[in-house]
Amino acid sequence: MRDGPSRPARMDVRVTGDDLRTRTARERTQSRLLIMSAGFFGLFGAVALKLSFATVIAPMAPEQRQIAPQVPPIPHSDPKGMMAGDFALPQVHRATVTDRNGQVLAISLPVAQVYANPQEMIDAQDTAKKLRTVLPKLDEAELIRRLSTKKQFVYLARDISPMQEIAINNLGIPGIYFEPGERRHYPLGRVASHILGAVDIDDHGVAGIERSMDKRLDSDRTPLRLSLDVRIQAVVREELAAAKDLFQAIGACAIVMDVNTGEIIAMVSLPDYDANDFGRADPDARFNRAVTGMYEPGSTFKLQTAAMALQLGVAHPWDRFSSIPIHIGRFTISDMRTDHFAPWLTLNEVMAYSSNPAAAHMALDVGAQRQQTWLRDMGFFAPVPIELPEAGRPIVPRTWGISTVMTVGFGHGVAEPPLAIVRGTAATVNGGILLHPTLMARDADHANDPVGLTPAVAEAAPPTLTPAVITAASTEDKVDAATMPGATRVISPETSALLRRILRLDVTKGTGKTAESPGYFVGGKTGTAEKIGPHGGYLKHVNIAAFTSIFPMNAPRYAVYVMLDSPKPTPQTHGWTTAAWNSAPTVSKIVTRIGPMLGLFPNTTNPQAVDDAMAIPLEPAVPRGYRPLGPGNDPGDPRNQPKAPKTPAHDATHTAALPPRARLHAARAEQAAPRRPTHPEVRG
């Protein structure tokens, strides 16, 4: 046996069939796991890539169904205001209200109500803390209490903004839900608050335009365009507030109206309130003095007496009326003690100087029946037709005897809303058409271009005033009664032309001098009435001071009315509280400021020529062949009435025909009845 290195023993490895099958199965399983792992890796990679694009690289906007449906799209920038006048938010059903230029006055904004189902809450305390990060004004303790109840529905917050809704939605709190809604908003606050009114919690109108146009605003989303001009509204409010503060009045109102269309350009009542806070506003602030307040018109009503007498042919500018005090019963109708009028005044002087007894005589010449008919036809017996549910009904006497005829003749014994005075004034100067005032912007067919203030005027002196000249003095009608809604003719164009000259006379030579605005040819009538006290008597030295005016008188376009309730005297007024010292100068300031805004500019070229063309003498010459009213010819003088027997059919109309003693008894009997006393010693 050879010695040598030893060799490892040879191992005999044998693989059985079972081992081979096990290995094959294991390898197959490994392959499958690798394939599945690769599949899952690819799937999760695709998801991760998609999420990266969706949340980081190119985030996608949420679908509309993922958030509450009332959330509007982000609006585009509109620096030029191109959307004004046609602005409506999605999912908001109540229409916007704008002024005549498209300025938004009332708009509904999308809001949401937040509510929860406490049964779905996981952690009430954690939910309350998260909600307060978006709505910090919420009471956390109260929130926890509500979210811990066993109810299935609790309100958490109302009227939240869309941005707050999105922020709460992003918190991902289960059990929090949103209810779509809208909230009415008035962007300009106090501007036109009495006109706009308000809505209740269910978005139904409760006052103003919101109430009168409720169905229209809910059924048609097209913006409702009013006749108001917020620029004019702001100026009128500023000047009226300044006058109210200066004279320490307890209230005031002002109106600007287009005399050719009836459109209300501005209407202000003070004190006022923020339209967004209607529910908490003081009742006195919510009171609309322009249409709801009833005030004795005072001497502004003498315009109606003069218009009535001229239109009916009872009087002419040259006729004279007694200014001597009238004693009836225990009352006296007289002018202020400081007035020193001639015993007899022409119709023009009655208007310019504002004599109460003379106006009473003029009314007596017309008579009770015709006076009532005139005032009824002029709309003074019914509420003014305006789109405001607050419009009140005038207060008129139940009986219409001789004392009523006289006192109504100079604006006492009746109570009218200021808008009724404005409406009546417009009818006297626009060619004689009584219009329906409106807060709705007229169609283009009824819109008027600004009237020029520099018409061609003859340099020659005005002709002598005669009946023929009065007839020829009429100008082309500014208003077409056939096309204007609700318009009716109440005065002839000839009488209207004459009244324009008389109203201008009141500013150039009468009590309204302080209303003048150079180049605008203002015309108008002052009116001061003593207020009625709580027990029915007149309050001494407590007045309603008003001025009703038109400008420009050579081409009437706008009426401006100002009323101050209980103004106090100042050193500048020398102790007076009459309209000539407070309301008239306020009108002057308003006209001067709003004229250019309305496209009317003062005439600085030939103002004297324009005034000369409109001039009318205080004491017109009596035309040949006419016997004027006056001394010895005064049919309205109670002492000149023929004796008439009393019959069962006796009424207020026949009272004027009684002899002096019988008339005095009738007057005393009328005074004994419960009614307002006749007005003593007050002049416009």
Side-chain angles (χ1 to χ4, degrees), residues 273-435:
Y273 61 95
D274 188 333
N276 295 295
D277 200 22
F278 177 84
R280 289 189 289 268
D282 185 85
D284 185 54
R286 293 205 303 259
F287 184 73
N288 189 346
R289 287 163 168 79
V291 297
T292 310
M294 298 295 152
Y295 308 95
E296 289 196 342
S299 294
T300 60
F301 227 44
K302 289 173 184 171
L303 173 59
Q304 295 302 321
T305 299
M308 173 177 59
L310 291 170
Q311 179 64 31
L312 297 176
V314 171
H316 304 86
W318 51 78
D319 288 326
R320 296 177 182 271
F321 303 90
S322 174
S323 64
I324 300 173
I326 302 174
H327 301 281
I328 178 167
R330 58 190 179 90
F331 296 100
T332 299
I333 297 174
S334 65
D335 293 311
M336 299 178 71
R337 293 185 177 89
T338 54
D339 291 329
H340 302 287
F341 298 149
W344 295 85
L345 301 174
T346 65
L347 184 147
N348 293 352
E349 290 175 316
V350 174
M351 291 293 293
Y353 302 151
S354 199
S355 172
N356 290 339
H361 278 281
M362 196 185 304
L364 287 172
D365 288 343
V366 173
Q369 189 60 50
R370 289 193 292 185
Q371 185 187 51
Q372 291 180 75
T373 300
W374 176 272
L375 296 178
R376 184 176 289 106
D377 291 345
M378 292 293 290
F380 290 111
F381 281 15
V384 180
I386 186 75
E387 299 91 348
L388 290 176
E390 296 82 12
R393 179 172 292 277
I395 302 172
V396 297
R398 294 181 180 179
T399 59
W400 209 276
I402 180 175
S403 63
T404 301
V405 172
M406 289 189 288
T407 55
V408 170
F410 57 90
H412 296 274
V414 295
E416 299 285 341
L419 185 57
I421 304 301
V422 176
R423 184 192 188 199
T425 301
T428 63
V429 300
N430 67 5
I433 305 300
L434 185 69
L435 299 170

Side-chain angles (χ1 to χ4, degrees), residues 192-210:
S193 56
H194 288 96
I195 295 173
L196 295 172
V199 297
D200 60 17
I201 193 172
D202 296 319
D203 263 355
H204 296 307
V206 295
I209 288 294
E210 295 279 19

Side-chain angles (χ1 to χ4, degrees), residues 3 99 168 180 189 338 364 425 478 574 591-592 647 658 677 681:
D3 296 331
D99 82 336
I168 293 175
T338 54
L364 287 172
T425 301
K478 299 296 182 183
H574 308 288
V591 170
T592 302
T647 66
L658 294 177
E681 301 181 355

